[in-house]
Amino acid sequence: MEERTNLKQLENTKRLEEFKYFFNENGQLRHTETNQPFVFKQYNNAMNLNHQWYTAFGTVLAEYVYELLEKEYRLKRLYIPVNATRDESRSFCFVSEGALNNPSKLIVLLQDRGVSRAGTWSQQLIVHDCLDTGTQMPYIKQALRENYEVMVLNTNDNFMAIKTNDSMDPEWAQTGYTLKVEKKLEIPK
């Protein structure tokens, strides 16, 4: 766990570079040509185009975080509902190896409402400060170091095929909790 993933080898590093950004050794987002911090305004006098660019960039940023969760912290992407067919709506969360079998030492993380996705606290903090303040990774790292199991919910995803807005769905959090924790702990209803 202590050996770091080579960030340049991550598939989504290349996708970030297509937007002309990279994360430096301190986890700070920098422009590939100027080494300057993130700038929202990519196009002059084109607010709609800037918004579209930022939305696409945010998607790549989320995928970058997901890849770090999987490769650096070795969390597994678990699709829910577990028994959904390919055609049915489903979402996913991330779990450590023993999260479903050892819930007595389980840390469950979920993000705030809005555009934040699994493993992140705030996209704004990621782009304007660094990965450590904008993501849940320091907490995940500490939990794993202390032999806790980890579950990272993706409550803002709201089941991919039927997404209607970008707000956290309490029902999704309850579904994730029920499917993963309550059934293992046999918590009475």
Side-chain angles (χ1 to χ4, degrees):
M1 184 59 60
E2 290 304 314
E3 77 181 52
R4 299 265 314 163
T5 301
N6 183 345
L7 299 181
K8 293 184 188 275
Q9 293 178 346
L10 294 177
E11 178 182 319
N12 286 292
T13 295
K14 294 172 185 69
R15 294 183 65 204
L16 277 176
E17 289 173 351
E18 291 172 8
F19 283 86
K20 299 189 187 277
Y21 281 94
F22 73 101
F23 284 102
N24 66 18
E25 64 279 351
N26 297 319
Q28 300 165 318
L29 193 64
R30 294 292 183 252
H31 194 274
T32 56
E33 296 168 2
T34 66
N35 205 35
Q36 293 298 308
F38 180 79
V39 176
F40 173 78
K41 189 175 178 183
Q42 299 294 312
Y43 304 97
N44 291 327
N45 300 319
M47 188 57 132
N48 193 35
L49 193 54
N50 282 321
H51 180 71
Q52 290 173 0
W53 182 93
Y54 186 69
T55 300
F57 181 77
T59 300
V60 170
L61 199 58
E63 290 297 327
Y64 182 85
V65 170
Y66 296 164
E67 191 172 8
L68 283 174
L69 292 174
E70 292 173 317
K71 292 187 175 169
E72 185 159 339
Y73 299 98
R74 294 179 180 88
L75 300 183
K76 306 283 186 232
R77 193 178 299 217
L78 179 66
Y79 287 91
I80 58 173
V82 179
N83 57 355
T85 66
R86 285 197 172 279
D87 297 336
E88 292 179 302
S89 300
R90 62 186 186 156
S91 188
F92 59 90
C93 61
F94 292 92
V95 294
S96 59
E97 190 68 35
L100 303 180
N101 301 322
N102 185 20
S104 63
K105 279 189 84 174
L106 177 67
I107 301 281
V108 179
L109 296 167
L110 62 146
Q111 71 282 4
D112 196 3
R113 61 191 173 109
V115 297
S116 296
R117 298 290 180 243
T120 66
W121 296 124
S122 164
Q123 185 172 306
Q124 290 292 319
L125 284 173
I126 294 170
V127 300
H128 294 298
D129 193 29
C130 68
L131 284 167
D132 276 352
T133 58
T135 70
Q136 299 168 349
M137 290 181 209
Y139 297 91
I140 295 167
K141 183 179 198 173
Q142 183 69 24
L144 293 172
R145 186 180 303 133
E146 294 185 20
N147 296 314
Y148 279 83
E149 299 301 335
V150 176
M151 178 183 297
V152 181
L153 299 181
N154 198 13
T155 55
N156 290 338
D157 192 50
N158 292 338
F159 294 92
M160 295 174 271
I162 58 169
K163 186 189 292 189
T164 57
N165 60 37
D166 260 341
S167 61
M168 183 170 63
D169 181 357
E171 188 174 316
W172 192 106
Q174 181 63 39
T175 300
Y177 180 83
T178 302
L179 286 174
K180 308 302 179 287
V181 180
E182 203 171 272
K183 291 195 178 180
K184 293 296 178 182
L185 292 175
E186 298 178 14
I187 297 171
K189 293 186 181 189

